[in-house]
Amino acid sequence: MTDNKINLKYDIVIIGGGPAGMSAAIAAYEHGNRSILIIEREKRLGGILKQCIHPGFGLEMYKEELTGPEFAARLIAKVREYNIDCRMSSMVLDIDRKLCVTGTSSDLGVFTVQAGAVILAMGCRERPRGALNTPGTRPSGVFTAGAAQYFVNMYGYLPGKEVVILGSGDIGLIMARRMTLEGAKVKAVCEVMPYSGGLARNIEQCLNDFNIPLLLSHTVVEVHGKERVTGVTIAQVENVPGKGRVPVKGTEQFIPCDTLLLSVGLIPENELTTSCGIRLNPATKGAEVDQDRQTEIPGIYSCGNVLHVHDLADFAAEEARIAGEAAAERVRKLRENAGEKSCEEGGFKVGLKADGKVRYVVPQVITAKKDVNVFFRVSDIFKKPTLVVTASGSAEGAEGETGENVLLKKKYLKLVPGTMQTVTLKKEMLEQIPDGGRIEFKLLPGDAE
Amino acid sequence: MKRTITCIICPKGCEIEADNDSGTLVLSGYDCARGKRYAETEMTCPMRTLTTTVRLPTGRMLPVRTDAPVPKAKLFDCMAEVAKIRLPVKPVAAGEVILADICGTGANLIASAAWELNANP
């Protein structure tokens, strides 16, 4: 049975044909590689962009405002122009440490692809109801916002007529408008935090335009209904030290509705990543990577929303270019040094740490002394904070010295968890740091709230 | 009337203070010329780009949008017009006009994706 198994060979195998995967493929091609394969489980390229019919894409990459399908079409056109191979309707089952990718599809059955580099670009999925532990019955009518978006925009099915939305992330806001335009009544958007994670413009054009109330510090405490949702009980929440955000007794109110949409966060889809032994960062829920987006396994790269959830598709696509170029460069070097044992990196490695107020940084490791853009995200709303980036000495510790020096300080008017930030660590800064050193990202609070 | 307008032109979301009590419109807080223009129309005739879908002969949906903003007050009229559209069985090019001058707004409804007869569902 295994005798006639299809064995393919490509320099670079990219898993996922969304904005990150296509962008990585395009960058690898433009870096000179001509042996690239994209593996996509759906029938068409584009990933989530296919169902994101609203505008707001492309402002960073193309300096014009596009809808999701238009943004995808730009990338698809490049993939076609470069004749990059794509295996559609194919599901990757496994990646091993020797960069052999095993997949399955109805035309090939089980197949393997031996790669010189693998780029993980599987994107993310929505947090489901099960992750929230919301009490109540289990009727139909509870959907993630993205699932509702798929039904409405791809099939023209309206999943409900009277809607409550839990979570005010951008997908939830976009769906509040979309359901309203299609004739549903959106009764409220509840947000457990005292602020919305969505863009100000989306609160304006998706909620305020249609007089949809945004209830901050509110959550759904019970779902009602036997066959179908008949309503939800919502309540105000308060932050109790040690307990987190808990409902306030006496503030419960019942809202009749037939549908509850959840827009409560995204989780990188890392089953393949962990199955080949790559550990995940608890804050990003993605792999830990170096400046080239290479994971702890040499030759396996990770980029886009599978690495960490980005605010805009543009940012995910731009990050994927880094991985695409680096993968092409790795293959080029391997070929150049053919026969010899591939040279290890130049023996330079520093770790990047976040202090908690800075929730995470990407990359988490730097192995090259060149300008590196570091992405970071904060854990709360901070007004007028100062970011301080310090470097400390080698692992052995310089004798008698604290060995900590400030690489850069930057003041911000306001930092919010919903907006990813970038700072550049210059080559000259990295040259001061000994191998095995550590770079720490700290946030000094400014004015009190 | 005094109003704080959250600009929707770009993801920055500037807060623009608008005041026309004196008879002339006074604006502050905008960061670019597009933001100023947005606040001006917002105080006179708010405009929005409409994005929605039209049913294809296969039963699946074609994403469409207006090629220019339409008056916010006419969004639901436009949606009612869109619901009446029956596409013929022929390929659609991205950018192709699906409905010209929708609801007399001067804006055209255009396809935001291509569709081929033998396209994957």
Side-chain angles (χ1 to χ4, degrees), chain A residues 43 53 55 67 70 153-156 178 180-182 201 204-205 209, chain B residues 6 8-10 48 51-53 55 60-61 65 72 76 79 112 120:
Chain A
K43 287 176 183 155
I53 65 163
T67 63
E70 289 166 331
N153 293 349
M154 307 297 281
Y155 287 95
R178 188 76 190 109
T180 306
L181 283 173
E182 289 294 350
R201 72 193 293 237
E204 184 66 21
Q205 64 185 348
D209 271 7
Chain B
T6 305
I8 64 167
I9 296 298
C10 84
R48 298 288 182 268
T51 59
T52 182
T53 54
R55 200 172 284 282
R60 292 292 287 261
M61 308 308 284
R65 65 176 174 89
K72 189 168 97 176
F76 285 99
M79 285 300 288
S112 31
N120 276 318

PDB file of all heavy atoms in Angstrom, chain A residues 43 53 55 67 70 153-156 178 180-182 201 204-205 209, chain B residues 6 8-10 48 51-53 55 60-61 65 72 76 79 112 120:
ATOM      1  N   LYS A  43     -10.381  24.880  -1.187  1.00  0.00           N
ATOM      2  CA  LYS A  43     -10.321  24.756  -2.647  1.00  0.00           C
ATOM      3  C   LYS A  43      -9.711  25.984  -3.299  1.00  0.00           C
ATOM      4  O   LYS A  43      -9.280  25.937  -4.449  1.00  0.00           O
ATOM      5  CB  LYS A  43     -11.743  24.553  -3.198  1.00  0.00           C
ATOM      6  CG  LYS A  43     -12.290  23.172  -2.905  1.00  0.00           C
ATOM      7  CD  LYS A  43     -13.720  23.066  -3.380  1.00  0.00           C
ATOM      8  CE  LYS A  43     -14.291  21.702  -3.021  1.00  0.00           C
ATOM      9  NZ  LYS A  43     -15.745  21.734  -2.915  1.00  0.00           N
ATOM     10  N   ILE A  53     -15.582  40.749   3.336  1.00  0.00           N
ATOM     11  CA  ILE A  53     -15.985  41.566   2.186  1.00  0.00           C
ATOM     12  C   ILE A  53     -15.911  43.065   2.474  1.00  0.00           C
ATOM     13  O   ILE A  53     -16.108  43.880   1.588  1.00  0.00           O
ATOM     14  CB  ILE A  53     -17.413  41.198   1.724  1.00  0.00           C
ATOM     15  CG1 ILE A  53     -18.422  41.554   2.830  1.00  0.00           C
ATOM     16  CG2 ILE A  53     -17.501  39.733   1.336  1.00  0.00           C
ATOM     17  CD1 ILE A  53     -19.846  41.610   2.334  1.00  0.00           C
ATOM     18  N   PRO A  55     -14.251  46.811   3.592  1.00  0.00           N
ATOM     19  CA  PRO A  55     -12.998  47.474   3.241  1.00  0.00           C
ATOM     20  C   PRO A  55     -12.099  47.650   4.457  1.00  0.00           C
ATOM     21  O   PRO A  55     -12.512  47.372   5.586  1.00  0.00           O
ATOM     22  CB  PRO A  55     -13.449  48.835   2.707  1.00  0.00           C
ATOM     23  CG  PRO A  55     -14.756  49.092   3.357  1.00  0.00           C
ATOM     24  CD  PRO A  55     -15.368  47.765   3.700  1.00  0.00           C
ATOM     25  N   THR A  67     -11.162  45.779  -0.257  1.00  0.00           N
ATOM     26  CA  THR A  67     -11.910  44.782   0.512  1.00  0.00           C
ATOM     27  C   THR A  67     -11.022  43.531   0.619  1.00  0.00           C
ATOM     28  O   THR A  67     -10.012  43.416  -0.083  1.00  0.00           O
ATOM     29  CB  THR A  67     -13.220  44.400  -0.200  1.00  0.00           C
ATOM     30  OG1 THR A  67     -12.893  43.797  -1.456  1.00  0.00           O
ATOM     31  CG2 THR A  67     -14.107  45.622  -0.434  1.00  0.00           C
ATOM     32  N   GLU A  70     -10.451  41.691  -2.667  1.00  0.00           N
ATOM     33  CA  GLU A  70      -9.571  42.459  -3.560  1.00  0.00           C
ATOM     34  C   GLU A  70      -8.118  42.351  -3.121  1.00  0.00           C
ATOM     35  O   GLU A  70      -7.202  42.235  -3.953  1.00  0.00           O
ATOM     36  CB  GLU A  70     -10.002  43.940  -3.589  1.00  0.00           C
ATOM     37  CG  GLU A  70     -11.313  44.160  -4.325  1.00  0.00           C
ATOM     38  CD  GLU A  70     -11.925  45.535  -4.082  1.00  0.00           C
ATOM     39  OE1 GLU A  70     -11.697  46.119  -3.008  1.00  0.00           O
ATOM     40  OE2 GLU A  70     -12.632  46.026  -4.964  1.00  0.00           O
ATOM     41  N   ASN A 153     -21.704  35.836   4.228  1.00  0.00           N
ATOM     42  CA  ASN A 153     -20.988  36.374   3.067  1.00  0.00           C
ATOM     43  C   ASN A 153     -20.692  35.346   1.985  1.00  0.00           C
ATOM     44  O   ASN A 153     -20.547  35.701   0.821  1.00  0.00           O
ATOM     45  CB  ASN A 153     -19.679  37.023   3.518  1.00  0.00           C
ATOM     46  CG  ASN A 153     -19.913  38.268   4.343  1.00  0.00           C
ATOM     47  OD1 ASN A 153     -21.033  38.771   4.423  1.00  0.00           O
ATOM     48  ND2 ASN A 153     -18.874  38.776   4.966  1.00  0.00           N
ATOM     49  N   MET A 154     -20.579  34.079   2.335  1.00  0.00           N
ATOM     50  CA  MET A 154     -20.266  33.065   1.340  1.00  0.00           C
ATOM     51  C   MET A 154     -21.532  32.371   0.820  1.00  0.00           C
ATOM     52  O   MET A 154     -21.615  32.021  -0.343  1.00  0.00           O
ATOM     53  CB  MET A 154     -19.325  31.999   1.908  1.00  0.00           C
ATOM     54  CG  MET A 154     -18.052  32.555   2.539  1.00  0.00           C
ATOM     55  SD  MET A 154     -16.984  33.432   1.389  1.00  0.00           S
ATOM     56  CE  MET A 154     -16.182  32.053   0.566  1.00  0.00           C
ATOM     57  N   TYR A 155     -22.506  32.163   1.713  1.00  0.00           N
ATOM     58  CA  TYR A 155     -23.696  31.395   1.325  1.00  0.00           C
ATOM     59  C   TYR A 155     -24.971  32.215   1.295  1.00  0.00           C
ATOM     60  O   TYR A 155     -25.993  31.758   0.791  1.00  0.00           O
ATOM     61  CB  TYR A 155     -23.900  30.208   2.281  1.00  0.00           C
ATOM     62  CG  TYR A 155     -22.911  29.102   2.067  1.00  0.00           C
ATOM     63  CD1 TYR A 155     -21.755  29.044   2.830  1.00  0.00           C
ATOM     64  CD2 TYR A 155     -23.121  28.130   1.092  1.00  0.00           C
ATOM     65  CE1 TYR A 155     -20.830  28.031   2.626  1.00  0.00           C
ATOM     66  CE2 TYR A 155     -22.204  27.123   0.895  1.00  0.00           C
ATOM     67  CZ  TYR A 155     -21.061  27.073   1.663  1.00  0.00           C
ATOM     68  OH  TYR A 155     -20.148  26.081   1.459  1.00  0.00           O
ATOM     69  N   GLY A 156     -24.953  33.415   1.887  1.00  0.00           N
ATOM     70  CA  GLY A 156     -26.166  34.214   1.919  1.00  0.00           C
ATOM     71  C   GLY A 156     -27.193  33.721   2.915  1.00  0.00           C
ATOM     72  O   GLY A 156     -28.384  33.973   2.753  1.00  0.00           O
ATOM     73  N   ARG A 178     -22.903  44.094   9.568  1.00  0.00           N
ATOM     74  CA  ARG A 178     -23.287  43.206   8.469  1.00  0.00           C
ATOM     75  C   ARG A 178     -24.669  42.599   8.716  1.00  0.00           C
ATOM     76  O   ARG A 178     -25.515  42.548   7.821  1.00  0.00           O
ATOM     77  CB  ARG A 178     -22.227  42.104   8.337  1.00  0.00           C
ATOM     78  CG  ARG A 178     -22.388  41.229   7.120  1.00  0.00           C
ATOM     79  CD  ARG A 178     -21.939  41.923   5.855  1.00  0.00           C
ATOM     80  NE  ARG A 178     -22.336  41.120   4.709  1.00  0.00           N
ATOM     81  CZ  ARG A 178     -23.298  41.436   3.854  1.00  0.00           C
ATOM     82  NH1 ARG A 178     -23.943  42.586   3.960  1.00  0.00           N
ATOM     83  NH2 ARG A 178     -23.608  40.639   2.856  1.00  0.00           N
ATOM     84  N   THR A 180     -26.983  43.790  10.650  1.00  0.00           N
ATOM     85  CA  THR A 180     -27.965  44.878  10.616  1.00  0.00           C
ATOM     86  C   THR A 180     -28.353  45.206   9.177  1.00  0.00           C
ATOM     87  O   THR A 180     -29.532  45.329   8.850  1.00  0.00           O
ATOM     88  CB  THR A 180     -27.395  46.133  11.315  1.00  0.00           C
ATOM     89  OG1 THR A 180     -26.974  45.767  12.622  1.00  0.00           O
ATOM     90  CG2 THR A 180     -28.436  47.233  11.408  1.00  0.00           C
ATOM     91  N   LEU A 181     -27.357  45.336   8.315  1.00  0.00           N
ATOM     92  CA  LEU A 181     -27.637  45.649   6.907  1.00  0.00           C
ATOM     93  C   LEU A 181     -28.478  44.558   6.256  1.00  0.00           C
ATOM     94  O   LEU A 181     -29.303  44.830   5.385  1.00  0.00           O
ATOM     95  CB  LEU A 181     -26.325  45.819   6.119  1.00  0.00           C
ATOM     96  CG  LEU A 181     -25.578  47.136   6.312  1.00  0.00           C
ATOM     97  CD1 LEU A 181     -24.226  47.079   5.616  1.00  0.00           C
ATOM     98  CD2 LEU A 181     -26.390  48.318   5.768  1.00  0.00           C
ATOM     99  N   GLU A 182     -28.281  43.319   6.687  1.00  0.00           N
ATOM    100  CA  GLU A 182     -29.032  42.203   6.108  1.00  0.00           C
ATOM    101  C   GLU A 182     -30.391  42.015   6.773  1.00  0.00           C
ATOM    102  O   GLU A 182     -31.092  41.043   6.505  1.00  0.00           O
ATOM    103  CB  GLU A 182     -28.219  40.909   6.173  1.00  0.00           C
ATOM    104  CG  GLU A 182     -27.023  40.875   5.221  1.00  0.00           C
ATOM    105  CD  GLU A 182     -27.411  40.861   3.739  1.00  0.00           C
ATOM    106  OE1 GLU A 182     -28.595  40.699   3.420  1.00  0.00           O
ATOM    107  OE2 GLU A 182     -26.502  41.007   2.899  1.00  0.00           O
ATOM    108  N   ARG A 201     -12.625  53.446  14.620  1.00  0.00           N
ATOM    109  CA  ARG A 201     -13.417  53.665  13.399  1.00  0.00           C
ATOM    110  C   ARG A 201     -14.508  52.600  13.250  1.00  0.00           C
ATOM    111  O   ARG A 201     -15.569  52.865  12.708  1.00  0.00           O
ATOM    112  CB  ARG A 201     -12.522  53.689  12.156  1.00  0.00           C
ATOM    113  CG  ARG A 201     -11.975  52.333  11.777  1.00  0.00           C
ATOM    114  CD  ARG A 201     -10.868  52.371  10.756  1.00  0.00           C
ATOM    115  NE  ARG A 201     -11.257  52.817   9.436  1.00  0.00           N
ATOM    116  CZ  ARG A 201     -11.082  52.119   8.310  1.00  0.00           C
ATOM    117  NH1 ARG A 201     -10.585  50.903   8.352  1.00  0.00           N
ATOM    118  NH2 ARG A 201     -11.399  52.613   7.155  1.00  0.00           N
ATOM    119  N   GLU A 204     -17.382  53.421  15.513  1.00  0.00           N
ATOM    120  CA  GLU A 204     -18.142  54.510  14.900  1.00  0.00           C
ATOM    121  C   GLU A 204     -19.016  54.000  13.744  1.00  0.00           C
ATOM    122  O   GLU A 204     -20.220  54.166  13.742  1.00  0.00           O
ATOM    123  CB  GLU A 204     -17.149  55.578  14.400  1.00  0.00           C
ATOM    124  CG  GLU A 204     -17.773  56.813  13.820  1.00  0.00           C
ATOM    125  CD  GLU A 204     -18.551  57.631  14.838  1.00  0.00           C
ATOM    126  OE1 GLU A 204     -18.290  57.481  16.046  1.00  0.00           O
ATOM    127  OE2 GLU A 204     -19.432  58.408  14.413  1.00  0.00           O
ATOM    128  N   GLN A 205     -18.399  53.346  12.767  1.00  0.00           N
ATOM    129  CA  GLN A 205     -19.143  53.028  11.546  1.00  0.00           C
ATOM    130  C   GLN A 205     -19.953  51.732  11.631  1.00  0.00           C
ATOM    131  O   GLN A 205     -20.845  51.516  10.819  1.00  0.00           O
ATOM    132  CB  GLN A 205     -18.206  52.996  10.329  1.00  0.00           C
ATOM    133  CG  GLN A 205     -17.150  51.900  10.392  1.00  0.00           C
ATOM    134  CD  GLN A 205     -16.164  51.973   9.251  1.00  0.00           C
ATOM    135  OE1 GLN A 205     -16.372  52.692   8.298  1.00  0.00           O
ATOM    136  NE2 GLN A 205     -15.071  51.228   9.353  1.00  0.00           N
ATOM    137  N   ASP A 209     -23.256  54.159  13.880  1.00  0.00           N
ATOM    138  CA  ASP A 209     -24.051  54.433  12.677  1.00  0.00           C
ATOM    139  C   ASP A 209     -25.438  53.794  12.763  1.00  0.00           C
ATOM    140  O   ASP A 209     -26.383  54.274  12.145  1.00  0.00           O
ATOM    141  CB  ASP A 209     -23.351  53.861  11.429  1.00  0.00           C
ATOM    142  CG  ASP A 209     -22.399  54.872  10.807  1.00  0.00           C
ATOM    143  OD1 ASP A 209     -22.199  55.938  11.423  1.00  0.00           O
ATOM    144  OD2 ASP A 209     -21.868  54.594   9.723  1.00  0.00           O
TER     145      ASP A 209
ATOM    146  N   THR B   6     -15.559  60.654  15.450  1.00  0.00           N
ATOM    147  CA  THR B   6     -14.443  59.710  15.301  1.00  0.00           C
ATOM    148  C   THR B   6     -14.244  59.460  13.817  1.00  0.00           C
ATOM    149  O   THR B   6     -15.137  58.956  13.141  1.00  0.00           O
ATOM    150  CB  THR B   6     -14.744  58.383  16.017  1.00  0.00           C
ATOM    151  OG1 THR B   6     -15.059  58.671  17.382  1.00  0.00           O
ATOM    152  CG2 THR B   6     -13.549  57.455  15.974  1.00  0.00           C
ATOM    153  N   ILE B   8     -13.315  57.863  10.391  1.00  0.00           N
ATOM    154  CA  ILE B   8     -13.283  56.457   9.949  1.00  0.00           C
ATOM    155  C   ILE B   8     -12.445  56.273   8.693  1.00  0.00           C
ATOM    156  O   ILE B   8     -12.448  55.218   8.076  1.00  0.00           O
ATOM    157  CB  ILE B   8     -14.714  55.907   9.683  1.00  0.00           C
ATOM    158  CG1 ILE B   8     -15.377  56.671   8.531  1.00  0.00           C
ATOM    159  CG2 ILE B   8     -15.563  55.973  10.937  1.00  0.00           C
ATOM    160  CD1 ILE B   8     -16.639  55.999   8.018  1.00  0.00           C
ATOM    161  N   ILE B   9     -11.699  57.321   8.307  1.00  0.00           N
ATOM    162  CA  ILE B   9     -10.953  57.238   7.048  1.00  0.00           C
ATOM    163  C   ILE B   9      -9.805  56.227   7.137  1.00  0.00           C
ATOM    164  O   ILE B   9      -9.546  55.482   6.207  1.00  0.00           O
ATOM    165  CB  ILE B   9     -10.414  58.635   6.647  1.00  0.00           C
ATOM    166  CG1 ILE B   9     -11.587  59.588   6.378  1.00  0.00           C
ATOM    167  CG2 ILE B   9      -9.507  58.556   5.431  1.00  0.00           C
ATOM    168  CD1 ILE B   9     -12.496  59.173   5.238  1.00  0.00           C
ATOM    169  N   CYS B  10      -9.106  56.184   8.262  1.00  0.00           N
ATOM    170  CA  CYS B  10      -8.014  55.215   8.393  1.00  0.00           C
ATOM    171  C   CYS B  10      -8.038  54.611   9.790  1.00  0.00           C
ATOM    172  O   CYS B  10      -8.773  55.084  10.656  1.00  0.00           O
ATOM    173  CB  CYS B  10      -6.664  55.860   8.062  1.00  0.00           C
ATOM    174  SG  CYS B  10      -5.923  56.744   9.440  1.00  0.00           S
ATOM    175  N   ARG B  48     -21.066  56.808   3.334  1.00  0.00           N
ATOM    176  CA  ARG B  48     -20.422  55.537   3.662  1.00  0.00           C
ATOM    177  C   ARG B  48     -20.265  54.698   2.392  1.00  0.00           C
ATOM    178  O   ARG B  48     -21.154  54.703   1.540  1.00  0.00           O
ATOM    179  CB  ARG B  48     -21.279  54.723   4.645  1.00  0.00           C
ATOM    180  CG  ARG B  48     -21.517  55.357   6.001  1.00  0.00           C
ATOM    181  CD  ARG B  48     -20.261  55.341   6.871  1.00  0.00           C
ATOM    182  NE  ARG B  48     -20.525  55.901   8.173  1.00  0.00           N
ATOM    183  CZ  ARG B  48     -20.348  57.192   8.508  1.00  0.00           C
ATOM    184  NH1 ARG B  48     -19.894  58.052   7.614  1.00  0.00           N
ATOM    185  NH2 ARG B  48     -20.619  57.610   9.726  1.00  0.00           N
ATOM    186  N   THR B  51     -20.493  47.794   1.468  1.00  0.00           N
ATOM    187  CA  THR B  51     -20.015  46.500   0.962  1.00  0.00           C
ATOM    188  C   THR B  51     -21.045  45.454   1.347  1.00  0.00           C
ATOM    189  O   THR B  51     -21.532  45.430   2.471  1.00  0.00           O
ATOM    190  CB  THR B  51     -18.646  46.097   1.571  1.00  0.00           C
ATOM    191  OG1 THR B  51     -18.759  46.030   2.985  1.00  0.00           O
ATOM    192  CG2 THR B  51     -17.551  47.063   1.201  1.00  0.00           C
ATOM    193  N   THR B  52     -21.403  44.616   0.387  1.00  0.00           N
ATOM    194  CA  THR B  52     -22.369  43.552   0.660  1.00  0.00           C
ATOM    195  C   THR B  52     -22.155  42.436  -0.362  1.00  0.00           C
ATOM    196  O   THR B  52     -21.060  42.335  -0.936  1.00  0.00           O
ATOM    197  CB  THR B  52     -23.818  44.110   0.667  1.00  0.00           C
ATOM    198  OG1 THR B  52     -24.727  43.062   0.970  1.00  0.00           O
ATOM    199  CG2 THR B  52     -24.198  44.745  -0.657  1.00  0.00           C
ATOM    200  N   THR B  53     -23.159  41.602  -0.555  1.00  0.00           N
ATOM    201  CA  THR B  53     -23.014  40.480  -1.494  1.00  0.00           C
ATOM    202  C   THR B  53     -24.232  40.391  -2.404  1.00  0.00           C
ATOM    203  O   THR B  53     -25.304  40.901  -2.071  1.00  0.00           O
ATOM    204  CB  THR B  53     -22.892  39.137  -0.736  1.00  0.00           C
ATOM    205  OG1 THR B  53     -24.000  39.027   0.151  1.00  0.00           O
ATOM    206  CG2 THR B  53     -21.606  39.034   0.042  1.00  0.00           C
ATOM    207  N   ARG B  55     -26.301  37.417  -4.915  1.00  0.00           N
ATOM    208  CA  ARG B  55     -26.343  35.972  -5.132  1.00  0.00           C
ATOM    209  C   ARG B  55     -25.956  35.616  -6.568  1.00  0.00           C
ATOM    210  O   ARG B  55     -26.430  36.207  -7.522  1.00  0.00           O
ATOM    211  CB  ARG B  55     -27.716  35.392  -4.799  1.00  0.00           C
ATOM    212  CG  ARG B  55     -27.644  33.882  -4.549  1.00  0.00           C
ATOM    213  CD  ARG B  55     -28.951  33.310  -4.031  1.00  0.00           C
ATOM    214  NE  ARG B  55     -29.218  33.592  -2.625  1.00  0.00           N
ATOM    215  CZ  ARG B  55     -28.658  32.962  -1.598  1.00  0.00           C
ATOM    216  NH1 ARG B  55     -27.754  32.021  -1.801  1.00  0.00           N
ATOM    217  NH2 ARG B  55     -28.988  33.269  -0.362  1.00  0.00           N
ATOM    218  N   ARG B  60     -24.066  30.568  -4.548  1.00  0.00           N
ATOM    219  CA  ARG B  60     -23.074  31.210  -3.691  1.00  0.00           C
ATOM    220  C   ARG B  60     -23.139  32.723  -3.862  1.00  0.00           C
ATOM    221  O   ARG B  60     -23.891  33.221  -4.691  1.00  0.00           O
ATOM    222  CB  ARG B  60     -21.670  30.691  -4.034  1.00  0.00           C
ATOM    223  CG  ARG B  60     -21.476  29.238  -3.665  1.00  0.00           C
ATOM    224  CD  ARG B  60     -21.468  29.008  -2.178  1.00  0.00           C
ATOM    225  NE  ARG B  60     -20.246  29.485  -1.562  1.00  0.00           N
ATOM    226  CZ  ARG B  60     -19.207  28.714  -1.247  1.00  0.00           C
ATOM    227  NH1 ARG B  60     -19.233  27.437  -1.508  1.00  0.00           N
ATOM    228  NH2 ARG B  60     -18.138  29.212  -0.669  1.00  0.00           N
ATOM    229  N   MET B  61     -22.357  33.450  -3.049  1.00  0.00           N
ATOM    230  CA  MET B  61     -22.457  34.897  -3.045  1.00  0.00           C
ATOM    231  C   MET B  61     -21.243  35.545  -3.719  1.00  0.00           C
ATOM    232  O   MET B  61     -20.122  35.043  -3.635  1.00  0.00           O
ATOM    233  CB  MET B  61     -22.571  35.416  -1.607  1.00  0.00           C
ATOM    234  CG  MET B  61     -23.659  34.761  -0.771  1.00  0.00           C
ATOM    235  SD  MET B  61     -25.293  34.761  -1.528  1.00  0.00           S
ATOM    236  CE  MET B  61     -25.790  36.471  -1.280  1.00  0.00           C
ATOM    237  N   ARG B  65     -19.252  46.060  -3.825  1.00  0.00           N
ATOM    238  CA  ARG B  65     -19.163  47.305  -3.052  1.00  0.00           C
ATOM    239  C   ARG B  65     -19.527  48.480  -3.946  1.00  0.00           C
ATOM    240  O   ARG B  65     -19.559  48.347  -5.182  1.00  0.00           O
ATOM    241  CB  ARG B  65     -17.761  47.493  -2.488  1.00  0.00           C
ATOM    242  CG  ARG B  65     -16.689  47.695  -3.547  1.00  0.00           C
ATOM    243  CD  ARG B  65     -15.346  47.975  -2.877  1.00  0.00           C
ATOM    244  NE  ARG B  65     -14.262  48.029  -3.838  1.00  0.00           N
ATOM    245  CZ  ARG B  65     -13.877  49.147  -4.469  1.00  0.00           C
ATOM    246  NH1 ARG B  65     -14.508  50.287  -4.255  1.00  0.00           N
ATOM    247  NH2 ARG B  65     -12.883  49.115  -5.317  1.00  0.00           N
ATOM    248  N   LYS B  72     -25.270  57.990   3.994  1.00  0.00           N
ATOM    249  CA  LYS B  72     -25.553  57.014   5.049  1.00  0.00           C
ATOM    250  C   LYS B  72     -27.051  56.741   5.150  1.00  0.00           C
ATOM    251  O   LYS B  72     -27.476  55.601   5.371  1.00  0.00           O
ATOM    252  CB  LYS B  72     -25.012  57.562   6.376  1.00  0.00           C
ATOM    253  CG  LYS B  72     -25.031  56.596   7.514  1.00  0.00           C
ATOM    254  CD  LYS B  72     -24.220  57.123   8.685  1.00  0.00           C
ATOM    255  CE  LYS B  72     -25.131  57.786   9.709  1.00  0.00           C
ATOM    256  NZ  LYS B  72     -24.378  58.232  10.909  1.00  0.00           N
ATOM    257  N   PHE B  76     -29.927  51.560   3.600  1.00  0.00           N
ATOM    258  CA  PHE B  76     -30.939  50.498   3.582  1.00  0.00           C
ATOM    259  C   PHE B  76     -31.713  50.477   2.258  1.00  0.00           C
ATOM    260  O   PHE B  76     -32.109  49.411   1.792  1.00  0.00           O
ATOM    261  CB  PHE B  76     -31.868  50.610   4.798  1.00  0.00           C
ATOM    262  CG  PHE B  76     -31.212  50.139   6.059  1.00  0.00           C
ATOM    263  CD1 PHE B  76     -30.651  51.040   6.953  1.00  0.00           C
ATOM    264  CD2 PHE B  76     -31.102  48.777   6.342  1.00  0.00           C
ATOM    265  CE1 PHE B  76     -30.013  50.605   8.106  1.00  0.00           C
ATOM    266  CE2 PHE B  76     -30.464  48.329   7.484  1.00  0.00           C
ATOM    267  CZ  PHE B  76     -29.917  49.248   8.372  1.00  0.00           C
ATOM    268  N   MET B  79     -29.495  48.535   0.047  1.00  0.00           N
ATOM    269  CA  MET B  79     -29.578  47.099   0.359  1.00  0.00           C
ATOM    270  C   MET B  79     -30.833  46.483  -0.277  1.00  0.00           C
ATOM    271  O   MET B  79     -30.789  45.356  -0.773  1.00  0.00           O
ATOM    272  CB  MET B  79     -29.595  46.874   1.875  1.00  0.00           C
ATOM    273  CG  MET B  79     -28.254  47.064   2.569  1.00  0.00           C
ATOM    274  SD  MET B  79     -26.942  45.962   1.995  1.00  0.00           S
ATOM    275  CE  MET B  79     -27.474  44.391   2.692  1.00  0.00           C
ATOM    276  N   SER B 112     -16.375  43.030  -6.212  1.00  0.00           N
ATOM    277  CA  SER B 112     -15.039  43.109  -5.605  1.00  0.00           C
ATOM    278  C   SER B 112     -14.271  41.805  -5.765  1.00  0.00           C
ATOM    279  O   SER B 112     -13.170  41.672  -5.248  1.00  0.00           O
ATOM    280  CB  SER B 112     -15.067  43.585  -4.150  1.00  0.00           C
ATOM    281  OG  SER B 112     -16.210  43.220  -3.469  1.00  0.00           O
ATOM    282  N   ASN B 120     -14.420  27.084  -8.616  1.00  0.00           N
ATOM    283  CA  ASN B 120     -14.671  26.213  -7.473  1.00  0.00           C
ATOM    284  C   ASN B 120     -15.744  26.841  -6.596  1.00  0.00           C
ATOM    285  O   ASN B 120     -15.804  28.049  -6.466  1.00  0.00           O
ATOM    286  CB  ASN B 120     -13.395  26.042  -6.652  1.00  0.00           C
ATOM    287  CG  ASN B 120     -12.514  24.966  -7.214  1.00  0.00           C
ATOM    288  OD1 ASN B 120     -12.986  23.917  -7.610  1.00  0.00           O
ATOM    289  ND2 ASN B 120     -11.238  25.254  -7.292  1.00  0.00           N
TER     290      ASN B 120
END
